[in-house]
Amino acid sequence: MMSSANLTERPTLIDSIRDTLKELHLNPYPEVQNPPSCKKRASVALVLRIRPGYEHAPSPSEDVAPSTSTTERLDHFFSQSWVQHGDPECVFIKRATRVGDRWTGHVALPGGKRDPEDENDKAVAIRETSEEIGLDLNSRHALFIGNLPERVVSTSFGRQPIMVLCPFVWLWTGPDVSPLSLQPGEVASTHWVPLRVLLAPSARTHEYVDVSDRFAHRGSTFLKAIIRSILGKMQFSAIRLTPSESLYCSSTAEFFSSPEEKSAAAAKASLASRFYKWYLGDHAGAAGNNRPLLLWGLTLGMLADFLDQLPPYNAVELWSYPTFTSWDVRIIIDILTAPLKRRNQARLRNIGMKNETAIDSETEAVSGDNPWFIGGLSKGMEASKKGKNATRSYAVGILLEDYYAMARRGVWISAGIRAIATILFGWFIVRRYWQRVRR
C-alpha cells in the first residue's frame, strides 16, 4: 500500500496543468503545410479557466509587467490560493443545426476557416472565437500558451483532404469571464466543462453514427438502407459532458420549438423521408437540446493531445477501438485485427510512453500514408525536423496503425458472407417451393 507521504508527493491536477502549459509554450508543434490539392485552413481555440471555489474567494492581484515572460506569468497565476483550490474548466460550443453542414449539432471548440485577410492561423482562432461566442482573446486576461498538433482533415476514408486544422491554447487568468454573446447562425449553446469530467472513467461512453452514405455516397435510399442493415452503426469512443455553466442561444431552433413549428416541420417531411431518418438513425438529425452532450471524433482527438499529459495518464485503458454494432461484423473485425492489436500494444509497451490518451478515427495523430478513415478525418501530424515534439509518438496513433485498412476488409467480408447466405437461403426456399409444386 502506498504511504501517505508518497500520496502527498503526487502533483495535483492544478500543478499538472501548470506544468503542461509550460511545456506547450516552450515546445511548439510544427506547422503542417497544406496538401497540393487542398487550400483551406481552419483554427480552433481551447480556452481554459479556473473556476474559484466557494471557500477560496479570489483576492486582488497585482498585474504582472508586460515584459514578464509567459512562464513567469504562469508561475504567478498558479501560485495564487484561489487558483490552487479552484476547478479547471474549458469551454465548448454546440454548433447550430444547419442543412449541409457535416458537423451540424456537434460539440466543438470555437473556431472556423481562415479568410484571406487573416494574418496567420492564430489570428483565425482569435477572430472566430470573438465572432462565435464574444470572448476576446486579445484581452489582458487571455494568456496565449501555444498550439496543439495540427492535422489534415479529410473526407470519408481519407480520400480527399478538405483542410488543415490548427488548435491553439489560451488560459484565462481572471477569476471571472465576461458574459458571452452567441452568434445564432453558428452556435446553439456554450458549455464550461470541468477537466475532471473529461478525465473521469464514469463519463466515458460511445457515439453511434450511420456510415451507410460513406459506402454508397451517390447510392439510392434503398441501397443505403441495405448497407445500414448489414453494418448497423459505427461506434466511437465519446465523453458525456456535464457542464458547470451553460448558455443557450434563444433564437435557435435547438433552444425551443413551438408546437406549431414542430407540426409544420413534420408536415413538410414525407413518410418515406421520416422512415429513412428513423431507420438510419441520423445522429445529426437529433440535434435538439434534449440530446446528451457528447464529445467525440475530431474535437475529442484535439482534446486528447492535451488530456494525455494530465493524471491519471490512463486514458488508453478507457478507450475502445471503433467498430460496428452488427454482431457478425464486429466478430469478423475482431478476428482479423486481433494479431494487429497485439502487435501495436507490444510496440506501445516497448516505447514506454508515460502519457497516453484516447482518440478515434476522426483525428488519428499518426504520420505516414493515408490509412482508412471514417468521418472527418486526419492524416496526423507530420514529423518536425527539430524541437522536443519532433519525435513524440501518440499512444492511440500507434494502436490504430493499420487498423482501419483491416476493419474495412472485415466489412466487405461480412457483406460478402451475408450476400452468399442470402442467395443460399433464397435458393433453398425456391427449391423447396418447386419440390412442393411438382408433388
Side-chain angles (χ1 to χ4, degrees), residues 98-113:
R98 297 190 301 178
V99 177
D101 183 359
R102 70 172 64 242
W103 293 293
T104 180
H106 283 200
V107 173
L109 296 173
K113 295 180 181 179

PDB file of all heavy atoms in Angstrom, residues 98-113:
ATOM      1  N   ARG A  98     -27.579  23.076 -39.079  1.00  0.00           N
ATOM      2  CA  ARG A  98     -27.588  23.687 -40.409  1.00  0.00           C
ATOM      3  C   ARG A  98     -27.565  22.589 -41.465  1.00  0.00           C
ATOM      4  O   ARG A  98     -26.751  21.652 -41.391  1.00  0.00           O
ATOM      5  CB  ARG A  98     -26.378  24.618 -40.592  1.00  0.00           C
ATOM      6  CG  ARG A  98     -26.357  25.800 -39.652  1.00  0.00           C
ATOM      7  CD  ARG A  98     -25.280  26.794 -40.043  1.00  0.00           C
ATOM      8  NE  ARG A  98     -23.956  26.194 -40.032  1.00  0.00           N
ATOM      9  CZ  ARG A  98     -22.842  26.845 -40.373  1.00  0.00           C
ATOM     10  NH1 ARG A  98     -22.921  28.115 -40.765  1.00  0.00           N
ATOM     11  NH2 ARG A  98     -21.670  26.251 -40.335  1.00  0.00           N
ATOM     12  N   VAL A  99     -28.433  22.712 -42.453  1.00  0.00           N
ATOM     13  CA  VAL A  99     -28.510  21.730 -43.525  1.00  0.00           C
ATOM     14  C   VAL A  99     -27.227  21.788 -44.362  1.00  0.00           C
ATOM     15  O   VAL A  99     -26.775  22.863 -44.745  1.00  0.00           O
ATOM     16  CB  VAL A  99     -29.735  21.990 -44.422  1.00  0.00           C
ATOM     17  CG1 VAL A  99     -29.771  20.993 -45.582  1.00  0.00           C
ATOM     18  CG2 VAL A  99     -31.020  21.891 -43.604  1.00  0.00           C
ATOM     19  N   GLY A 100     -26.645  20.627 -44.627  1.00  0.00           N
ATOM     20  CA  GLY A 100     -25.450  20.559 -45.457  1.00  0.00           C
ATOM     21  C   GLY A 100     -24.148  20.700 -44.701  1.00  0.00           C
ATOM     22  O   GLY A 100     -23.078  20.562 -45.292  1.00  0.00           O
ATOM     23  N   ASP A 101     -24.212  20.963 -43.385  1.00  0.00           N
ATOM     24  CA  ASP A 101     -23.008  21.107 -42.575  1.00  0.00           C
ATOM     25  C   ASP A 101     -22.639  19.738 -42.016  1.00  0.00           C
ATOM     26  O   ASP A 101     -23.425  19.122 -41.293  1.00  0.00           O
ATOM     27  CB  ASP A 101     -23.257  22.099 -41.446  1.00  0.00           C
ATOM     28  CG  ASP A 101     -22.013  22.356 -40.602  1.00  0.00           C
ATOM     29  OD1 ASP A 101     -20.963  21.744 -40.884  1.00  0.00           O
ATOM     30  OD2 ASP A 101     -22.101  23.168 -39.661  1.00  0.00           O
ATOM     31  N   ARG A 102     -21.433  19.256 -42.335  1.00  0.00           N
ATOM     32  CA  ARG A 102     -21.033  17.920 -41.892  1.00  0.00           C
ATOM     33  C   ARG A 102     -20.882  17.843 -40.383  1.00  0.00           C
ATOM     34  O   ARG A 102     -20.892  16.766 -39.806  1.00  0.00           O
ATOM     35  CB  ARG A 102     -19.738  17.486 -42.583  1.00  0.00           C
ATOM     36  CG  ARG A 102     -18.517  18.226 -42.139  1.00  0.00           C
ATOM     37  CD  ARG A 102     -17.231  17.618 -42.703  1.00  0.00           C
ATOM     38  NE  ARG A 102     -17.164  17.714 -44.146  1.00  0.00           N
ATOM     39  CZ  ARG A 102     -17.105  16.654 -44.952  1.00  0.00           C
ATOM     40  NH1 ARG A 102     -17.121  15.445 -44.440  1.00  0.00           N
ATOM     41  NH2 ARG A 102     -17.029  16.821 -46.258  1.00  0.00           N
ATOM     42  N   TRP A 103     -20.722  18.988 -39.698  1.00  0.00           N
ATOM     43  CA  TRP A 103     -20.568  18.987 -38.248  1.00  0.00           C
ATOM     44  C   TRP A 103     -21.760  19.664 -37.560  1.00  0.00           C
ATOM     45  O   TRP A 103     -21.632  20.163 -36.457  1.00  0.00           O
ATOM     46  CB  TRP A 103     -19.265  19.679 -37.862  1.00  0.00           C
ATOM     47  CG  TRP A 103     -18.062  18.910 -38.303  1.00  0.00           C
ATOM     48  CD1 TRP A 103     -17.651  17.690 -37.837  1.00  0.00           C
ATOM     49  CD2 TRP A 103     -17.117  19.281 -39.307  1.00  0.00           C
ATOM     50  NE1 TRP A 103     -16.519  17.277 -38.484  1.00  0.00           N
ATOM     51  CE2 TRP A 103     -16.157  18.238 -39.399  1.00  0.00           C
ATOM     52  CE3 TRP A 103     -16.969  20.383 -40.152  1.00  0.00           C
ATOM     53  CZ2 TRP A 103     -15.085  18.259 -40.287  1.00  0.00           C
ATOM     54  CZ3 TRP A 103     -15.901  20.408 -41.036  1.00  0.00           C
ATOM     55  CH2 TRP A 103     -14.973  19.366 -41.098  1.00  0.00           C
ATOM     56  N   THR A 104     -22.920  19.621 -38.195  1.00  0.00           N
ATOM     57  CA  THR A 104     -24.091  20.256 -37.623  1.00  0.00           C
ATOM     58  C   THR A 104     -24.464  19.610 -36.292  1.00  0.00           C
ATOM     59  O   THR A 104     -24.498  18.385 -36.155  1.00  0.00           O
ATOM     60  CB  THR A 104     -25.285  20.176 -38.591  1.00  0.00           C
ATOM     61  OG1 THR A 104     -26.424  20.812 -37.999  1.00  0.00           O
ATOM     62  CG2 THR A 104     -25.651  18.738 -38.917  1.00  0.00           C
ATOM     63  N   GLY A 105     -24.731  20.433 -35.297  1.00  0.00           N
ATOM     64  CA  GLY A 105     -25.153  19.944 -33.993  1.00  0.00           C
ATOM     65  C   GLY A 105     -24.068  19.314 -33.159  1.00  0.00           C
ATOM     66  O   GLY A 105     -24.342  18.851 -32.049  1.00  0.00           O
ATOM     67  N   HIS A 106     -22.816  19.287 -33.630  1.00  0.00           N
ATOM     68  CA  HIS A 106     -21.740  18.641 -32.883  1.00  0.00           C
ATOM     69  C   HIS A 106     -21.219  19.533 -31.754  1.00  0.00           C
ATOM     70  O   HIS A 106     -21.279  20.763 -31.830  1.00  0.00           O
ATOM     71  CB  HIS A 106     -20.577  18.313 -33.813  1.00  0.00           C
ATOM     72  CG  HIS A 106     -20.817  17.110 -34.670  1.00  0.00           C
ATOM     73  ND1 HIS A 106     -19.797  16.410 -35.276  1.00  0.00           N
ATOM     74  CD2 HIS A 106     -21.956  16.473 -35.026  1.00  0.00           C
ATOM     75  CE1 HIS A 106     -20.293  15.398 -35.964  1.00  0.00           C
ATOM     76  NE2 HIS A 106     -21.604  15.425 -35.838  1.00  0.00           N
ATOM     77  N   VAL A 107     -20.688  18.907 -30.735  1.00  0.00           N
ATOM     78  CA  VAL A 107     -19.919  19.618 -29.721  1.00  0.00           C
ATOM     79  C   VAL A 107     -18.533  19.893 -30.292  1.00  0.00           C
ATOM     80  O   VAL A 107     -17.895  19.002 -30.868  1.00  0.00           O
ATOM     81  CB  VAL A 107     -19.813  18.787 -28.434  1.00  0.00           C
ATOM     82  CG1 VAL A 107     -18.873  19.449 -27.436  1.00  0.00           C
ATOM     83  CG2 VAL A 107     -21.197  18.596 -27.818  1.00  0.00           C
ATOM     84  N   ALA A 108     -18.064  21.120 -30.148  1.00  0.00           N
ATOM     85  CA  ALA A 108     -16.807  21.510 -30.790  1.00  0.00           C
ATOM     86  C   ALA A 108     -16.123  22.586 -29.964  1.00  0.00           C
ATOM     87  O   ALA A 108     -16.639  23.049 -28.930  1.00  0.00           O
ATOM     88  CB  ALA A 108     -17.074  22.021 -32.205  1.00  0.00           C
ATOM     89  N   LEU A 109     -14.961  22.987 -30.417  1.00  0.00           N
ATOM     90  CA  LEU A 109     -14.268  24.152 -29.875  1.00  0.00           C
ATOM     91  C   LEU A 109     -14.582  25.348 -30.766  1.00  0.00           C
ATOM     92  O   LEU A 109     -14.786  25.182 -31.970  1.00  0.00           O
ATOM     93  CB  LEU A 109     -12.754  23.917 -29.846  1.00  0.00           C
ATOM     94  CG  LEU A 109     -12.256  22.797 -28.928  1.00  0.00           C
ATOM     95  CD1 LEU A 109     -10.762  22.577 -29.132  1.00  0.00           C
ATOM     96  CD2 LEU A 109     -12.558  23.101 -27.473  1.00  0.00           C
ATOM     97  N   PRO A 110     -14.634  26.556 -30.205  1.00  0.00           N
ATOM     98  CA  PRO A 110     -14.885  27.726 -31.060  1.00  0.00           C
ATOM     99  C   PRO A 110     -13.775  27.883 -32.094  1.00  0.00           C
ATOM    100  O   PRO A 110     -12.601  27.673 -31.799  1.00  0.00           O
ATOM    101  CB  PRO A 110     -14.900  28.897 -30.070  1.00  0.00           C
ATOM    102  CG  PRO A 110     -14.196  28.386 -28.848  1.00  0.00           C
ATOM    103  CD  PRO A 110     -14.467  26.921 -28.795  1.00  0.00           C
ATOM    104  N   GLY A 111     -14.170  28.233 -33.307  1.00  0.00           N
ATOM    105  CA  GLY A 111     -13.179  28.392 -34.376  1.00  0.00           C
ATOM    106  C   GLY A 111     -13.845  28.331 -35.735  1.00  0.00           C
ATOM    107  O   GLY A 111     -15.062  28.209 -35.854  1.00  0.00           O
ATOM    108  N   GLY A 112     -13.043  28.434 -36.775  1.00  0.00           N
ATOM    109  CA  GLY A 112     -13.578  28.411 -38.128  1.00  0.00           C
ATOM    110  C   GLY A 112     -12.484  28.497 -39.172  1.00  0.00           C
ATOM    111  O   GLY A 112     -11.293  28.390 -38.868  1.00  0.00           O
ATOM    112  N   LYS A 113     -12.908  28.722 -40.406  1.00  0.00           N
ATOM    113  CA  LYS A 113     -11.982  28.708 -41.537  1.00  0.00           C
ATOM    114  C   LYS A 113     -11.198  30.014 -41.650  1.00  0.00           C
ATOM    115  O   LYS A 113     -11.658  31.080 -41.250  1.00  0.00           O
ATOM    116  CB  LYS A 113     -12.775  28.468 -42.833  1.00  0.00           C
ATOM    117  CG  LYS A 113     -13.434  27.102 -42.895  1.00  0.00           C
ATOM    118  CD  LYS A 113     -14.203  26.915 -44.190  1.00  0.00           C
ATOM    119  CE  LYS A 113     -14.889  25.549 -44.230  1.00  0.00           C
ATOM    120  NZ  LYS A 113     -15.669  25.355 -45.475  1.00  0.00           N
TER     121      LYS A 113
END
